[in-house]
Amino acid sequence: MTAPEPSLMSVESAHYPPLLVRHPGNPILTRNDWPYSINSVFNAGATLLPDGTTLLLCRVEDRRGLSHLCAARSKNGVDGWEIDREPTLMPNPKQYPEEIWGIEDPRITFVPELQQYVVTYTSYSRGGPGVSLALTKDFRNFERYGVIMPPDDKDTALFPRRINGFWALIHRPMTNLGAHMWISYSPDLRHWGRHRLMLEARRGAWWDANKIGLSPPPIETSRGWLVFYHGVRHTPSGCIYRLGLALFDLENPEKCLLRGDSWIFGPEADYELHGDVDDVVFPCGYTMDADGDTINIYYGAADCSIALARSSVRALLAWLDANGTCERRQRAEDV
Ligand code: BMA
């Protein structure tokens, strides 16, 4: 075998290897698939049902501009979607005034201890976006717990098990410190405390400067909690939403073990570059294949459609080992 031309080698190494591979059938769901009139469908939570069916709980925006949630089910997680004929979970502002301007961006965590799915979502109140929580066994009946984090807060998911006896939740409050990821704990999913800063947005020219937030729920691996997060780059022509990766200690998830410096996935395909909001990839859910390694990441593209990208947990961890740095809990002054 002859060695590759040196020039070819250098060109190849100048490229970033694709860690997330787009499905050729993307986008896998658009408003044209919907059984009723909508403006757009995007940002879906995801889970596997006991029979192996993939369930997406999709954010659907109507032509008033308000969002509700609608379930879509598929045997293979790619096509053949059966979509609820009517909205699955509608805002209910009479009983839950915080939902007056819609409910958005659900994340789903199956909790073995409860034998239920915990859905956390943004409730868009007059005071801004807050975080609400609901429990369900079947995505047909929901038990709403109401607001668990007051505005301005969003980008939330529950860990699938208690940590040192407490439920743990990642969220993104807006504070004078900026838009960073926080973790909070609860004995009962209703009362939340022990709030701690978990991961900070960087500053200046960084891709994840000023504003970050959790993407899908944290993924438990033998090495730690693998966390995808989105970073928002503000540019004169608008924002660019991209995806980064970090790893947190299993029993002390406030402790960041590794954080990648560069983004691992960003808008490149036409359906990600152009839509109601250009330049957005925004995953809210994943499912894991039976091999325990292949991960299917469902993401909203340009606030208009749902797309799928696949990756490998092993490859993601290897990438973090090669490219991640130990988070020093850098304060703004250090960066
Ligand atoms: C974020 C969220 C997402 C949305 C994204 C891009 O702040 O509101 O729902 O996809 O902006 O518009």
Side-chain angles (χ1 to χ4, degrees):
M1 211 170 99
T2 49
E5 294 284 326
S7 60
L8 186 61
M9 283 178 72
S10 56
V11 169
E12 279 178 351
S13 63
H15 286 78
Y16 294 94
L19 266 183
L20 272 68
V21 179
R22 289 172 178 81
H23 194 277
N26 275 351
I28 58 164
L29 283 168
T30 72
R31 67 176 168 196
N32 298 333
D33 299 304
W34 239 250
Y36 54 93
S37 297
I38 63 170
N39 171 54
S40 53
V41 53
F42 51 112
N43 303 359
T47 194
L48 288 178
L49 299 177
D51 68 354
T53 298
T54 298
L55 179 137
L56 296 184
L57 192 59
C58 309
R59 171 176 174 189
V60 171
E61 192 184 281
D62 64 27
R63 285 179 61 165
R64 298 173 301 166
L66 308 190
S67 292
H68 61 266
L69 309 183
C70 186
R73 296 169 174 82
S74 157
K75 293 257 175 301
N76 62 10
V78 175
D79 52 24
W81 294 96
E82 288 179 21
I83 300 166
D84 282 359
R85 311 297 303 171
E86 291 174 2
T88 309
L89 191 66
M90 277 296 275
N92 179 1
K94 278 213 171 92
Q95 271 175 287
Y96 300 92
E98 66 275 9
E99 298 181 0
I100 181 107
W101 289 333
I103 54 178
E104 307 178 349
D105 301 356
R107 273 81 166 182
I108 303 170
T109 303
F110 179 70
V111 180
E113 181 185 327
L114 304 174
Q115 283 299 301
Q116 295 211 65
Y117 302 90
V118 174
V119 182
T120 50
Y121 55 93
T122 303
S123 38
Y124 199 167
S125 74
R126 288 186 199 278
V131 175
S132 292
L133 182 147
L135 269 66
T136 184
K137 289 193 169 95
D138 53 11
F139 294 92
R140 300 189 198 281
N141 299 299
F142 293 82
E143 186 188 355
R144 274 170 155 102
Y145 276 27
V147 176
I148 55 162
M149 293 290 166
D152 187 330
D153 205 332
K154 53 162 71 172
D155 297 329
T156 307
L158 185 76
F159 286 75
R161 60 173 173 84
R162 292 175 196 259
I163 296 172
N164 301 316
F166 289 89
W167 300 113
L169 183 91
I170 302 176
H171 57 119
R172 205 284 307 282
M174 297 286 273
T175 72
N176 287 343
L177 290 177
H180 309 301
M181 284 162 60
W182 289 64
I183 186 166
S184 302
Y185 299 89
S186 169
D188 57 6
L189 297 177
R190 290 186 188 273
H191 304 89
W192 293 89
R194 222 168 96 225
H195 313 291
R196 299 267 199 284
L197 198 52
M198 188 180 179
L199 193 73
E200 289 183 64
R202 285 179 265 218
R203 296 190 58 183
W206 283 87
W207 71 274
D208 55 354
N210 304 317
K211 196 175 181 184
I212 61 170
L214 178 72
S215 285
I219 302 159
E220 187 163 13
T221 75
S222 56
R223 300 269 314 277
W225 297 101
L226 192 58
V227 168
F228 291 96
Y229 70 95
H230 58 263
V232 186
R233 173 81 183 269
H234 295 262
T235 81
S237 57
C239 293
I240 309 175
Y241 280 74
R242 302 189 180 101
L243 206 57
L245 198 61
L247 188 71
F248 295 84
D249 188 87
L250 277 181
E251 297 313 317
N252 179 17
E254 293 152 32
K255 190 174 164 208
C256 183
L257 304 173
L258 288 169
R259 178 185 191 172
D261 278 347
S262 34
W263 71 80
I264 57 165
F265 192 65
E268 285 175 22
D270 192 57
Y271 52 89
E272 300 160 353
L273 295 170
H274 304 294
D276 278 3
V277 183
D278 293 350
D279 299 322
V280 179
V281 292
F282 201 92
C284 289
Y286 75 90
T287 60
M288 188 76 75
D289 282 0
D291 63 8
D293 184 58
T294 308
I295 176 172
N296 307 294
I297 297 153
Y298 293 92
Y299 62 100
D303 283 12
C304 256
S305 63
I306 296 175
L308 167 63
R310 291 211 165 103
S311 192
S312 141
V313 169
R314 217 175 297 129
L316 292 165
L317 289 170
W319 181 86
L320 268 180
D321 281 333
N323 299 284
T325 47
C326 209
E327 174 78 353
R328 283 185 293 115
R329 197 27 93 64
Q330 293 168 320
R331 296 247 146 239
E333 306 81 80
D334 303 333
V335 183

